Amino acid sequence: MSVPGQADLVVHGGTVVNATGSRAATVLIAGGRITALLDANSPLPSHARAIDATGQLVIPGGVDPHCHVGQRLGDVSMLDDHEQASIAALWGGTTTIIDFAIPEPGQTPLEAAHTRLKQAGAARCDTALHGGVVAWDHSTRGQLFAMADLGVRTTKLFTTYRDGVMADTETIRAVMATTEELGGVTLIHAEQNHIIETHQKDAAAAGHRHSRFMASMRPEQAELESVKQVLTIAEQEQASVYFVHQTTADVVDLVRQARARGVRVYSETCPHYLVLDDSLYEKQHPERYVCCPPLRSTATRDDLRAVVLQGHVDTIGSDHCCYSTVQKSAHADDAVNVPNGLPGVETRLTVTFDSLVSSQQMAVEDFVALTSTNPARLNGLRGKGYIAPGADADLVVFDPHQRRAVTTSDLHMATDYTPYEGHSFTGWPTTVIAGGRVVVDPDGFHDPGPIGRHLRAQSQLDGHRHLMTSLVRDATQRP
Ligand code: URP
Ligand code: ZN
Ligand code: ZN
C-alpha cells in the first residue's frame, strides 16, 4: 500500500505536465503509486532512487487506445504478441495499451475476449481490452454483459469488410443500445462499404488493382457517409460512440456538431494521418502504407491537423498493426488483399509531439490530453492519464528538444520497417516508469517481466459519465 509522502523513487527537476496544467515539481513514488507532488525546491527524501529530469517534461505514461496485438485479420496474422508489443510501447513512452478482441470466424465475442485476456498476461505494461461484435444473435446481449463483468465495456464494430467483420445496421443498433445499458462506449470503424466496393470494382475494371491506387479505392466520401449514418443511429439510441481513426476535418466536424447537440460522440485520429500523405502510394513500396482508411491528400492532412489544433479531436491512437515488408509485399499488386494497418505503438508519442507541439505549437497540456488523459477517461481507466497523489506511477521523462531520425534498427516493434524511416522528429522519451518501476532509462530496457495487469473499465454509470463528458479539449478549460 502507498502512504502519502513515502517514496522509494523520486523524479525531480522537471516540469510536471497534466492535461489541466503544468508546474515545476518533484514526484514521489512508492508501491507503484504516486504518493506526493512536492514543490520543486523541497529537499529530496533520503533512501529513494532519484531520477533527474532537469530541463525535461514529466508526463503521464501514454495510454494507447487503439493497438492491435498479434491479431489475425482474414488470412494473415500480425507478427507481435503482448510481450513484444508492450516492450515496444514502453520504449515509446506508452505505459497502457488497449487491445482488441475481434472474433475470428466461428468464435463468439466472449470467447475472443477470454482468449485475448489470457494472452495479455505476457504484457510488460498494463493493458485493457475492447471487445468486438460481427453479427448480432440471441446470445450477444448476454455475452456483452459477461464481457462487462470481465471489465470489457467498449465494443468495436466495422461498417466495412463484407464477408469479414462488417456489421449490419441492426447489429450496430443493438450493440449501441446494450453497450449504453452497460455504461460503455461503442467504437466504430466508419467507411461506407458499398461506396468502397464500387470504387474497387471500377479500379479493377480499369486495371488499377495495385497498391498504387489504394487512395482512390477508399475515398473520403465513404468515411463521410458512414459517419453520418452512424451518428443518426447514435442519436436515436442515445448511445456513446467513439469513431476510431478519423482522417478528415469534415468527419471530425460532424462529430463536433453532434456533440454540440448533446450526443456523446468522440473523435480519434492517428499520427500517420497527421504526418503522411497519399503521395506515398505513388512511390516505392506503396503497399507498406496500405491502411484503412487510407492516407489522404496533403490538403486533407493539413485540414485534419488544423482541427486537432483547434481542440476538436479527443484522442490519438496508434492503430498499431505489426506486419512485415514480406507480408505487405506478397499482395502489393492487389491492394484489396494487402494486410492493412501500420506499425506505430512505439512512435505514437514522438510523431504526435513533433507534428503538433514542436511544429505547430500545441500546448503540451493538450498533447497530454490527446495521448494519455482522454484515452484513459474514455475507456474508464481509473488511476491512468494524470500525475497526482493516488495515481498509478506511470511516468515518462520526455525531452522536448531532442531531435533524431527514426530508423527501424532503433525500434523494437516486431517488424522490419517503419512508415517514418528517415524522418527526423523532435521530442523523445528518455526515462519511462511503469507501475513505479524504471523500465527504460539511458542504460536501456530493464525488463520487469510479465507484470502488466488487465485493467477493468469502469462503467460510466458509476459516476464515470461525468469524467467522460468533461474531457479536456482545449486551453480554455485549463484553470
Ligand atoms: O488498416 C487498418 N486500420 N487496420 C487495422 C484494423 C482496423 O480497421 O482498425
Ligand atoms: Zn478500424
Ligand atoms: Zn484498428
Side-chain angles (χ1 to χ4, degrees):
M1 218 191 55
S2 57
V3 176
Q6 228 181 28
D8 44 46
L9 182 65
V10 300
V11 182
H12 65 98
T15 302
V16 173
V17 183
N18 274 309
T20 50
S22 305
R23 73 169 169 122
T26 298
V27 187
L28 270 54
I29 294 165
R33 294 274 175 89
I34 296 169
T35 57
L37 249 63
L38 305 181
D39 285 344
N41 50 9
S42 309
L44 297 183
S46 51
H47 310 304
R49 176 174 173 189
I51 305 280
D52 185 356
T54 302
Q56 302 189 59
L57 307 176
V58 181
I59 59 177
V63 177
D64 189 342
H66 191 152
C67 184
H68 301 272
V69 181
Q71 192 175 300
R72 188 177 176 81
L73 281 175
D75 292 339
V76 192
S77 291
M78 297 165 195
L79 291 174
D80 52 3
D81 56 21
H82 287 79
E83 177 181 344
Q84 292 165 308
S86 59
I87 289 174
L90 288 168
W91 272 105
T94 286
T95 52
T96 301
I97 54 176
I98 314 184
D99 180 27
F100 291 84
I102 307 296
E104 291 180 22
Q107 199 179 34
T108 67
L110 185 58
E111 284 165 356
H114 277 299
T115 304
R116 288 263 131 194
L117 288 176
K118 217 187 283 165
Q119 292 165 341
R124 269 50 180 173
C125 68
D126 287 345
T127 65
L129 187 62
H130 303 300
V133 172
V134 176
W136 187 265
D137 68 25
H138 65 280
S139 70
T140 312
R141 182 179 159 81
Q143 291 188 55
L144 290 179
F145 272 74
M147 285 156 69
D149 285 342
L150 297 171
V152 179
R153 286 180 197 276
T154 41
T155 307
K156 184 172 182 188
L157 300 170
F158 296 80
T159 66
T160 185
Y161 307 131
R162 190 147 52 126
D163 303 327
V165 289
M166 185 169 96
D168 62 21
T169 304
E170 286 325 301
T171 298
I172 294 173
R173 197 177 281 285
V175 169
M176 276 189 195
T178 307
T179 302
E180 194 60 23
E181 245 183 279
L182 291 165
V185 179
T186 303
L187 276 52
I188 304 279
H189 173 134
E191 287 182 287
Q192 174 71 262
N193 196 62
H194 72 78
I195 295 178
I196 289 166
E197 286 188 358
T198 302
H199 280 76
Q200 286 173 339
K201 238 183 261 161
D202 290 350
H208 294 169
R209 286 174 181 275
H210 197 275
S211 307
R212 284 202 289 288
F213 302 101
M214 178 67 198
S216 64
M217 290 183 206
R218 303 183 86 95
E220 291 179 24
Q221 188 207 354
E223 197 177 342
L224 190 74
E225 294 305 324
S226 181
V227 170
K228 279 186 198 164
Q229 281 183 359
V230 171
L231 281 173
T232 302
I233 305 173
E235 202 153 357
Q236 287 165 351
E237 298 298 332
Q238 298 189 7
S240 305
V241 170
Y242 174 102
F243 288 95
V244 294
H245 49 49
Q246 293 205 303
T247 67
T248 77
D250 288 346
V251 289
V252 170
D253 213 45
L254 287 176
V255 171
R256 186 182 62 75
Q257 288 167 23
R259 184 99 142 241
R261 295 194 298 274
V263 190
R264 288 185 302 276
V265 283
Y266 307 95
S267 284
E268 173 198 86
T269 192
C270 311
H272 41 282
Y273 298 120
L274 296 172
V275 172
L276 307 177
D277 65 75
D278 62 5
S279 66
L280 287 162
Y281 296 126
E282 288 153 25
K283 299 187 178 144
Q284 246 198 337
H285 296 303
E287 72 279 3
R288 294 185 189 174
Y289 305 94
V290 166
C291 55
C292 304
L295 301 175
R296 303 298 191 192
S297 67
T298 51
T300 296
R301 179 200 63 190
D302 293 348
D303 289 348
L304 176 69
R305 219 188 258 187
V307 291
V308 177
L309 290 164
Q310 286 159 16
H312 299 315
V313 165
D314 301 295
T315 69
I316 299 209
S318 67
D319 198 1
H320 171 76
C321 297
C322 224
Y323 297 111
S324 68
T325 55
V326 170
Q327 286 176 306
K328 286 284 204 180
S329 64
H331 299 285
D333 57 355
D334 184 4
V336 176
N337 287 315
V338 174
N340 52 54
L342 311 179
V345 70
E346 189 170 356
T347 44
R348 182 182 68 115
L349 288 191
T350 284
V351 175
T352 302
F353 190 89
D354 180 275
S355 68
L356 297 177
V357 182
S358 306
S359 307
Q360 303 284 336
Q361 296 182 329
M362 172 183 267
V364 285
E365 292 83 358
D366 294 339
F367 164 75
V368 164
L370 284 169
T371 56
S372 179
T373 315
N374 288 346
R377 289 183 178 195
L378 280 170
N379 288 285
L381 307 181
R382 292 239 167 98
K384 302 293 184 192
Y386 63 100
I387 299 176
D392 290 352
D394 297 340
L395 300 173
V396 178
V397 181
F398 192 87
D399 184 344
H401 304 297
Q402 189 184 134
R403 184 168 181 81
R404 63 182 155 91
V406 173
T407 182
T408 308
S409 58
D410 287 345
L411 296 173
H412 307 84
M413 295 178 285
T415 177
D416 58 346
Y417 87 104
T418 165
Y420 307 107
E421 185 70 42
H423 290 236
S424 284
F425 292 115
T426 302
W428 292 85
T430 58
T431 297
V432 181
I433 298 167
R437 292 178 164 101
V438 179
V439 290
V440 176
D441 68 10
D443 294 331
F445 185 67
H446 308 284
D447 191 349
I451 55 154
R453 298 165 301 171
H454 161 60
L455 305 171
R456 300 169 63 86
Q458 306 288 310
S459 167
Q460 297 180 57
L461 305 176
D462 301 335
H464 193 65
R465 178 160 286 152
H466 169 69
L467 268 185
M468 297 184 54
T469 49
S470 65
L471 292 180
V472 181
R473 290 176 76 79
D474 61 30
T476 57
Q477 293 189 2
R478 262 183 258 124

